[in-house]
Amino acid sequence: MDKGKRSSGGSGGDDSIYRIPPYYYIHVLDQNSNVTRVEIGPRTYIRQDHERVIFGPQKMIMVPPRNYCIIENPAQKDKDGAVVLDKTGQIKLSHADQEIRLSQDPFPLFPGEVLKQAVSPLKVVPANCALRLRAVLDYEDASGEKRVAGDEWLFEGPGTYIPRKEVAVDETIRATIIKPNQAIKLRARKETQDREGNLRVTGEEWLVKKVGAYLPGAYEEVVDVVNAYVLTEKKALHLRANRTFSDSKGVKRKNGEEWLIKMEDNEAHIPDVYEEVVGVKDIITLNNRQYCVILDPVGADGKPQLGQKKLSKGEKSFFLMPGEKLEKGIQNVFILGEDEGIILRANEGFKDTLCDCERKPGDKWMMRGPMEYVPPVEVDVLTKRKAIPLDENEGIYVRDTKNGKVRAITGVTYMLNQDEELWSKELPPAVENLLMSMKDPLADRGVRGATAVAEREKTKVVTLRVPHNASVQIYDYKEKKARVVFGPELVMLGPDEQFTQLSLSGGKPKRPNVIKSLCLLLGPDFCTDIIVIETADHARLQLQLSYNWHFEVNDKKDEKDAAKLFSVPDFVGDACKAIASRIRGAVAGVQFDDFHKNSAKIIRASVFGFGENQKVRDRFLFPQNNLVITSVDIQSVEPVDQRTRDALQKSVQLAIEITTNSQEAAARHEAERLEQEAKGRLERQKILDEAEAEKARKELLELQANSAAVESTGQAKAEAQSRAEAARIEGEAAVEQAKLKAEAAKIEAESELDRLKIAREAENKYVGQQNEMEISKTKEMADIETSKFHSMVSTIGADTIKAIATSGPEMQVKLLQSLGLKSTLITDGSSPINLFNTANGLIGALKSE
């Protein structure tokens, strides 16, 4: 507030002189009367002692054109515009009042006046906009219309709004642009009249669809912009009425009623305020191989027929009406081949036109192909059947649903009828695991604990391949009898048959229930067992024995003989126990030393027994199941007691040591003998070597004497021989050089001759080819000229050529005849003519005649 203050003595209200510039003012307080007055510049104000400047110098308020300001507690003025003073000289104010001042001359603020709103530009309202005004005080405007506090109205643009103290601006409203296929939903805030003159009650909603800008009224509010649903031939609009009303076409719609708007009704539909869009429905198109069943179809009166069904076949396109729905969607027509069929059931009575018979509710029948079938609404399709092709080794279990009987169908192509179904045959888990482990009973008999690699189809006939020299027992629980099948054979189980599972002992020593199998191998095979025996002198030994065995089957067709094979559930454990019992009984009466020496004989005798001649038998037969043991192999014998094992180990080591010492002495004796023989051979070799050395020394001396003689005579001889050899070499070299020169000259001459010959041949060949080309060219040119001349002659014609050739002489003859001349000679005057020769020619011609 101190901006613009001028003083002579500094800043503050105690200065004596104030220089007030133009358009500035100050507030001066008279401390005697306690009245504040305004001093306006330009002037120099001298403060009195009882006066005090409480405000200013301050610049006056300037309101430019198209601006305004708001003054709170304005000073009261009379009709002439002068400020009204009270009896004390104080300026009267309109307290709690406001004054809006527009463009005018600069003015000061009187004491008590407050600039509530600074100078601001007037609000310009553009086109398609409006200000919502609200009266805060009762007043009468310039047009004479009375406004009551709380009234609302619009100031619509374009224009400049001049504010009043009785009016408040609530908000600026912009027009909503309505595009094609659009509408705006309006709601009345209180009872009013819309722009079309219709009376609206509070809360009422309506649509404005006119394209362009729409400016809501003072008591109207825009709820939403509603876009039109563009409908096509493939889409329809599903509507529901929120209350009872009449739609745009004058149709009365009840509350909750649903209907469709299609393209033929309206290409673009804007939902009314009382219309709720349930959804957009797509058209249902059926081709000539499709159909559908419509539940609760709409009748001719437009009302749904609840509980009824309607069959619709293609080709056609339609929309589902409200309340309608498809039972199972769009379904394909049943196209049945020769090996296909469908099972049908009537859910209500009707007349079947295909067989011209009456169907009762619950009836089941089967339709076989080839055909096309569309089930009527009274028929349910239970299932589709296809013929099952079966090989001779394949089959299925079929159960009759009427009497419950189960039978196996094999080796044919079979289709289940309406009273049949596939039956699942259950097997024990152990048997199931053995069947699906894909294990060969013969090759994989040493594999333990194999698991199933696949899951069995329980409706197919159970099959098992029995390998060669094996058998399987099958028990029929319905007939209560068993049958044995010998391999190689493929076993197919009937509905009431089961395999006999074998649980055999295994391992070393034998443990029960180790080997699980369905096939019984007939052998020959072997098994190994470990048993503990005790001799008469209480020496405990552990034996590992191996038995060869086989089953003896005399007649495979004899059921009793075949049934014996499976009479003993665990033939391995039974046989091993029986053999071990015999061996223990025999060894119990024998000393350890005797058993150690004759173990094989004792064991074989105990197992096989003796014959009539006290000879050990070669087989041991189990009559219960015809199992035959043919041999016993003792693989190892070990003492169980540690002391016995140590004593036996010591005796074995002592025997090994004795044997080692004897072998060592024999080897030493042999080595000494070989050493003596080697020494004798060495002495003889020394003597022979000395004799050879003397002989070689003699030959050396003879060679030394010969070399001395040669040395004395050989030098002269060598020089003479070398000179002769040199002369001979030089002569041979000269001869050879001459031969080479002659040969070189000959080669040069021959090569030059060949070159000339080749050059002449090439030249002759070139000239000949050039001549041939020239001849060919000349010939071709002649042919061309000939053909050209021939073409010209043939084109012009013989008569034309004759006429051309004779035209000149004939014309001359006709010309001479016309002149009456017998003969004439015409020249050009520049070429001389020899008349003598001409005359001679004429005379010669006459003479010749």
Side-chain angles (χ1 to χ4, degrees), residues 339-359:
D339 58 344
E340 292 179 328
I342 52 175
I343 306 299
L344 306 176
R345 182 179 61 194
N347 50 33
E348 60 181 90
F350 75 103
K351 184 175 182 179
D352 193 346
T353 57
L354 293 178
C355 65
D356 196 15
C357 59
E358 293 290 335
R359 300 288 186 185

Side-chain angles (χ1 to χ4, degrees), residues 485-540:
V485 179
F486 293 92
E489 185 63 65
L490 179 69
V491 177
M492 303 179 73
L493 283 187
D496 301 310
E497 292 181 336
Q498 292 287 348
F499 290 108
T500 299
Q501 180 186 352
L502 299 177
S503 182
L504 307 178
S505 298
K508 294 183 293 185
K510 287 290 180 282
R511 291 178 288 108
N513 302 324
V514 174
I515 302 173
K516 307 288 184 180
S517 178
L518 299 178
C519 295
L520 176 64
L521 301 179
L522 302 181
D525 204 344
F526 70 94
C527 65
T528 304
D529 191 14
I530 296 176
I531 63 174
V532 178
I533 62 174
E534 186 174 354
T535 60
D537 50 359
H538 304 291
R540 292 173 59 83

Side-chain angles (χ1 to χ4, degrees), residues 321-339:
M321 301 301 292
E324 293 181 343
K325 58 183 178 179
L326 298 181
E327 184 178 19
K328 296 180 181 179
I330 298 175
Q331 304 178 60
N332 293 323
V333 174
F334 288 93
I335 301 175
L336 305 178
E338 294 182 355
D339 58 344

Side-chain angles (χ1 to χ4, degrees), residues 60-72 74 97-109 113-123 161-165:
M60 294 182 180
I61 298 175
M62 297 182 183
V63 182
R66 302 188 65 79
N67 284 263
Y68 74 101
C69 66
I70 300 177
I71 305 298
E72 191 174 7
D97 197 3
Q98 294 180 355
E99 181 183 353
I100 297 175
R101 298 179 183 178
L102 302 176
S103 176
Q104 56 183 288
D105 294 335
F107 61 90
L109 286 178
E113 291 182 340
V114 178
L115 182 63
K116 184 176 182 181
Q117 181 175 330
V119 177
S120 305
L122 294 174
K123 186 172 291 187
Y161 173 69
I162 299 176
R164 295 178 60 96
K165 66 179 182 179

Side-chain angles (χ1 to χ4, degrees), residues 1 214 454 605:
M1 299 295 293
Y214 182 82

Side-chain angles (χ1 to χ4, degrees), residues 426-496:
E426 298 293 340
L427 296 175
V431 176
E432 192 88 38
N433 192 23
L434 289 173
L435 284 174
M436 301 311 297
S437 61
M438 309 302 289
K439 189 171 64 173
D440 188 274
L442 186 61
D444 300 330
R445 62 184 185 277
V447 180
R448 303 285 187 269
T451 57
V453 297
E455 187 175 354
R456 179 178 65 90
E457 293 187 26
K458 296 184 179 181
T459 58
K460 287 189 175 182
V461 171
V462 180
T463 59
L464 176 65
R465 290 178 173 84
V466 183
H468 175 69
N469 205 21
S471 62
V472 173
Q473 187 182 43
I474 301 169
Y475 188 80
D476 191 335
Y477 285 90
K478 185 176 181 180
E479 301 292 335
K480 295 183 180 180
K481 64 179 181 179
R483 60 188 176 98
V484 178
V485 179
F486 293 92
E489 185 63 65
L490 179 69
V491 177
M492 303 179 73
L493 283 187
D496 301 310

